[in-house]
Amino acid sequence: MPRLRPVISRPRSIEGFAIVSTDGMIADANGEFPSIVKSDADYAFFHESLDRMQACVHGRRSYEDGPHADRRSRLIVTRSVPALAPDTELPNALCWNPQGASFEEAWRALGIPDGSLAVVGGTDIFGMFLTIGYDVFNLTRVPNTYVGNGRPVFPAVPQLTPEAVLQSVGLKPSAERVLDAEKGVTLTAWRR
C-alpha cells in the first residue's frame, strides 16, 4: 500500500514584518502610515525579504506594494466575506474571515503547501499571528519618533512594549542590525 503524504496545512515558515515608532505605533489615528517612521533602508529590507516569501497576509487597510506585489499570493483578512472568497481586484488573493474559516483552511485554499508566509499588518493581524505562531518577527525601530494616539503594532501596545509582547510568546531577539546609522534605524529579528 502506498504511503500517503500528510496534507500540510501550515506554511513552512511564518515571518512578521513591522516598522514602528518609538512608542510602538505602525499607523496614526486615521490608519495612515506616518511619514516620520518611513525608512528607505527598511523599505529595501522589506521588499528583498518579501521576494523570498511565497505569500503574504494583511488586513484591508494594510498592503504591500513594490515591484512584485501583483504576482504575490495573499490572504486579505476581512469581515466582508463569510469565510473564504476570491478577491475581486487581485487575481492571486483570497479574502479570509477568521470567524468563518480557520487559518489552516485559508492556507490550504491558497494552494501553497510548502510555502512561506509574510505577515505585514495591521494591528489585529499581527496580534492574531502571535497565537498562530511566528517563526520570526522582524521588528524595525525608528528612534525619536512619537505617533501618540495611533495604531499599535500589537493590541497590547502601549501597555507593553513590542519587545515584551514578542518575548511573552517565546520569541528571542537576535543581534540588533543597523539599517540606517544616520537616522538610527535598527532591525531585530525575534526568533522561535
Side-chain angles (χ1 to χ4, degrees), residues 63-82:
Y63 64 93
E64 58 90 14
D65 58 1
H68 305 123
D70 59 341
R71 291 182 278 176
R72 196 173 286 73
S73 294
R74 68 189 65 241
L75 292 171
I76 301 171
V77 180
T78 178
R79 290 184 214 44
S80 68
V81 298

Side-chain angles (χ1 to χ4, degrees), residues 12-178:
R12 176 175 15 100
S13 68
I14 298 174
E15 285 193 44
F17 295 88
I19 183 169
V20 300
S21 62
T22 302
D23 50 352
M25 301 297 143
I26 57 172
D28 63 20
N30 297 319
E32 301 296 323
F33 185 68
S35 61
I36 59 171
V37 298
K38 288 185 179 175
S39 163
D40 291 340
D42 179 72
Y43 186 83
F45 164 77
F46 176 63
H47 286 287
E48 287 167 13
S49 298
L50 286 182
D51 284 344
R52 64 179 170 73
M53 309 300 280
Q54 281 70 50
C56 65
V57 59
H58 56 80
R60 272 278 173 213
R61 295 197 69 159
S62 301
Y63 64 93
E64 58 90 14
D65 58 1
H68 305 123
D70 59 341
R71 291 182 278 176
R72 196 173 286 73
S73 294
R74 68 189 65 241
L75 292 171
I76 301 171
V77 180
T78 178
R79 290 184 214 44
S80 68
V81 298
L84 296 165
D87 185 77
T88 57
E89 296 174 19
L90 298 168
N92 299 325
L94 186 63
C95 295
W96 167 42
N97 182 341
Q99 298 299 314
S102 70
F103 172 65
E104 290 77 15
E105 291 169 313
W107 182 251
R108 274 195 305 271
L110 201 56
I112 310 170
D114 191 34
S116 53
L117 179 68
V119 182
V120 300
T123 304
D124 292 338
I125 288 85
F126 283 136
M128 177 174 48
F129 276 87
L130 289 168
T131 303
I132 292 169
Y134 290 105
D135 295 294
V136 180
F137 194 94
N138 298 286
L139 182 66
T140 300
R141 283 283 200 170
V142 182
N144 306 313
T145 57
Y146 296 89
V147 176
N149 189 23
R151 301 211 177 149
V153 63
F154 301 117
V157 173
Q159 294 82 4
L160 297 173
T161 66
E163 292 82 358
V165 171
L166 292 166
Q167 190 173 29
S168 76
V169 295
L171 297 176
K172 297 183 179 9
S174 63
E176 186 177 85
R177 176 177 158 193
V178 176

